[in-house]
Amino acid sequence: MEYSAEKPTLNVLLADDHLLFRDGLRRLLAQSDDSMVFHEAGTFDDVRRLCDGAIAFDLILLDLGMPGWNGFSLLGEIHQRLPKALLVVVSGSEKRSDLLAALENGAAGFIPKSSSAKVLMGALQLVLAGGVYLPEQAIRGDRMTDSAPHAGNGAGDADPLGSLADGAGDQLTPRQRDVLNRLRDGKSNKQIAHELGLTEGTVKVHVTAILRQLGVRNRTQAAITANGL
């Protein structure tokens, strides 16, 4: 007799005030993974109601600026309520300040709605595998549409994408140096986040920027390079 392990169910929340977009996103995801169970919300009041803990969401995809939106602290609220859920912003915004604010409030990815279906699916695969997705233009070092500074977690909390956008390959921001010093001590992203008062997602962004600036491929190489800085 043959036994097959049943694929675990993935609870997915689709939050967007446009029904047509939710419908298209649901159809796209359902075609790629039949283990997903979908729940939908059209306002942030609906999101709060669904995120009361009764449903153990694995993935939350939500737009910014839905009815009831009053700031990025709402993302932090959702992340605090459901810390195990992967929170991904799928937004019409391509502002760098929005990207940073989302990451600082617990988002594991930021996908512009201008992205293709292929890019979106690749981004979600990365997030589900434990990574953090950034738009291609941010990783390439291109400026996003909004270069306005974003209020961080205190003095010296510089833009983690700043050097990527500005092309300063030989300079680290003060916050990136804070992260690099802790990488040199062999600390994990979780430990670094706790010590610096950041989310793990933001630490991952800093680490990505550091690797790029130092021209190294992994944390170990970065730590070794740090001894000469």
Side-chain angles (χ1 to χ4, degrees), residues 54-204:
I55 302 173
F57 285 111
D58 300 286
L59 179 64
I60 299 175
L61 307 179
L62 80 167
D63 190 16
L64 306 177
M66 289 187 296
W69 169 259
N70 61 12
F72 285 92
S73 60
L74 288 172
L75 300 187
E77 178 185 330
I78 296 170
H79 181 62
Q80 186 174 18
R81 288 186 181 186
L82 299 171
K84 294 183 179 180
L86 296 170
L87 179 61
V88 178
V89 172
V90 183
S91 175
S93 170
E94 296 190 12
K95 294 181 179 180
R96 189 171 65 179
S97 57
D98 287 346
L99 163 64
L100 296 174
L103 292 173
E104 289 175 2
N105 284 278
F110 191 101
I111 307 173
K113 285 185 176 179
S114 60
S115 303
S116 66
K118 181 179 179 180
V119 168
L120 184 144
M121 294 307 300
L124 294 182
Q125 288 175 3
L126 174 64
V127 170
L128 289 170
V132 174
Y133 177 78
L134 303 178
E136 182 181 355
Q137 60 266 42
I139 295 177
R140 287 200 313 261
D142 297 347
R143 287 187 180 275
M144 295 185 72
T145 56
D146 179 7
S147 59
H150 171 70
N153 292 291
D157 188 13
D159 180 348
L161 298 182
S163 56
L164 288 177
D166 297 334
D170 59 348
Q171 295 182 355
L172 296 175
T173 67
R175 181 58 86 191
Q176 288 165 357
R177 287 187 177 276
D178 289 339
V179 173
L180 182 57
N181 287 337
R182 286 160 176 79
L183 287 180
R184 184 175 54 191
D185 294 336
K187 295 181 178 179
S188 66
N189 286 353
K190 184 175 183 179
Q191 291 173 314
I192 296 172
H194 176 73
E195 291 186 9
L196 297 181
L198 304 172
T199 67
E200 287 189 60
T202 300
V203 172
K204 289 180 180 179

